[in-house]
């Protein structure tokens, strides 16, 4: 499956499950990790969070976008929220808190 097909698959899933955050999270992750489109990744993580603000992974990945964009304040907010929602993420995310990139 090529990158375009993966996006199309997620787009179709989003239409069927538009009240759920996971399709937006999955599409945002593709934009972040594979296509390197930070703006589209951010848009999708924002949508995922709007549907489910209790998922630590959504905040962690949006924090990764802010990290790559150089927005340390928003990165810290999202990483702290991710840790609050899932304390198991603390060892992974704590080293990035308060650091400027």
């Amino acid at each position: 499956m090529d990158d375009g097909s993966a996006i199309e698959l997620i787009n179709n899933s989003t239409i069927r499950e538009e009240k759920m955050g996971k399709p937006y999270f999955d599409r945002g992750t593709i934009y972040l990790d594979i296509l390197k489109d930070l703006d589209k990744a951010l848009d999708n993580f924002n949508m995922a969070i709007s549907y489910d603000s209790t998922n630590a992974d959504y905040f962690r990945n949006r924090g990764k976008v802010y990290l790559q964009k150089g927005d340390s304040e928003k990165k810290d907010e999202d990483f702290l929220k991710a840790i609050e929602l899932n304390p198991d993420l603390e060892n992974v995310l704590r080293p990035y808190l308060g650091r400027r990139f």
Side-chain angles (χ1 to χ4, degrees):
M1 175 182 303
D2 64 23
D3 296 339
S5 296
I7 291 294
E8 184 61 31
L9 182 64
I10 298 299
N11 285 343
N12 291 337
S13 177
T14 301
I15 292 166
R16 286 191 310 272
E17 304 170 23
E18 67 183 47
K19 294 289 184 189
M20 300 175 67
K22 182 146 177 34
Y24 292 101
F25 172 77
D26 292 341
R27 186 169 49 203
T29 301
I30 292 169
Y31 281 123
L32 174 63
D33 294 337
I34 298 171
L35 301 176
K36 309 298 184 197
D37 187 329
L38 297 179
D39 292 328
K40 288 183 180 177
L42 183 59
D43 289 344
N44 279 276
F45 294 137
N46 286 337
M47 287 299 298
I49 289 168
S50 76
Y51 289 117
D52 182 2
S53 62
T54 65
N55 190 308
D57 293 331
Y58 297 177
F59 286 95
R60 181 199 63 216
N61 275 23
R62 189 173 72 175
K64 288 168 59 177
V65 172
Y66 289 131
L67 173 68
Q68 291 185 32
K69 285 179 155 276
D71 191 332
S72 295
E73 186 175 321
K74 288 182 179 179
K75 176 243 332 153
D76 285 353
E77 288 174 12
D78 277 357
F79 284 176
L80 284 170
K81 184 65 175 180
I83 292 167
E84 176 188 319
L85 293 169
N86 180 357
D88 291 339
L89 293 173
E90 184 166 6
N91 289 336
V92 174
L93 299 179
R94 181 70 59 190
Y96 294 98
L97 293 174
R99 294 179 65 189
R100 303 279 181 233
F101 293 90

